[in-house]
Amino acid sequence: MYSGYITDIEGIKVGHSQSEKGMTGCTAVICEEGATTGVDVRGSAPGTRETDLLKPEKVVDKVHAILLSGGSAFGLDAASGVMKYLEEQNIGFDVGVTKVPIVSSAVIFDLNIGDYKIRPNFDMGYFAAENAIKEENRQGNIGCGMGATVGKILGPENSMKSGIGSASMNIGELWVGAIIAVNSFGDVYDYETNSILAGTYDYKKGKLLNSYEIMKNKKKTIGFSMKNTTIGVVATNAILSKAEANKLAQMAQNGLARSINPIHTMYDGDTIFAMATGKIKADINIVGTLSSEVVSRAIANGILYANSYKDILSYKDIKNDNNC
């Protein structure tokens, strides 16, 4: 397990809401003071909200919350619940008659694991925001990680259970943290040892397979699963411009590339948000390099903390024989 949690960054709170019956949920990452925010979307099948607003040339430069949600496109509705809660707390962009909370969001596909009729909605988003705390540190099958799975090149029947993971690290007063919902098409690797932690699994033979090798040997691509996407948030206490926040999100994606293979495919909607609370002067190159490592750590934790669901095994179930 890797240490730390995204809430180690001062000013960041996290709240979860989930349904065990639906095996879905959402995770709210809140900065009440507002954070300079950027985004990088690498996958070709994303589901997002309020990402255009994060471009450097757009007028609004502070975001008050990021919502990571299950439920595919249906789950974008949960962001409205986060907005409602924040408005009640008088948090948002001041437009005179009220304050409009700026809430960006991204979703994963998890409709096929639980009751697909249950998906994150307004109430679930409100509950996640209402219960956001500085002390939150749960990982695995919680919030947006409830229905997360990995290794779907042969379809969901050969996938493994994953979850949401978080980690943080610092150099002196500079802190960088990440929280990632790991729901990838590809396999997940320990970035330090390059060994597969979880991915496509042969349930008959009881062993991990290698998705990249399967892809190379497959005669055609018809049948590849489109039910994927890894999403997350990187937060730092560094002082960054909006352009630098977008660069931070780009550099953080290197953590996905280091830990997941295949990654950023036509069957993923991989999206990373970056939030800067603006407390410490720091070089963007240092912050970005730290972010890629902390993302890799968070991805590993999303696997290591996950629990199995019904017949879908997790790393905990195969850790003694996980050689591909």
Side-chain angles (χ1 to χ4, degrees), residues 13-16 28 30 32 85 127-134 136:
K13 296 181 178 180
V14 171
H16 300 291
I30 294 176
E32 295 176 350
Y85 173 77
F127 185 85
E130 183 181 35
N131 286 275
I133 57 173
K134 176 69 177 174
E136 181 59 73

Side-chain angles (χ1 to χ4, degrees), residues 56-126:
E57 71 272 16
K58 305 302 181 184
V59 66
V60 174
D61 63 352
K62 299 288 185 181
V63 166
H64 304 95
I66 305 292
L67 186 74
L68 308 177
S69 181
S72 191
F74 295 111
L76 292 172
D77 180 47
S80 296
V82 179
M83 284 191 69
K84 176 64 174 176
Y85 173 77
L86 292 177
E87 183 188 24
E88 292 175 353
Q89 307 307 308
N90 199 35
I91 297 170
F93 181 74
D94 194 343
V95 294
V97 294
T98 187
K99 288 186 177 179
V100 180
I102 308 301
V103 180
S104 298
S105 182
V107 296
I108 66 171
F109 185 98
D110 58 3
L111 298 177
N112 60 326
I113 187 170
D115 184 345
Y116 75 93
K117 294 182 179 179
I118 299 174
R119 67 283 299 245
N121 56 15
F122 181 98
D123 292 337
M124 198 177 287
Y126 186 97

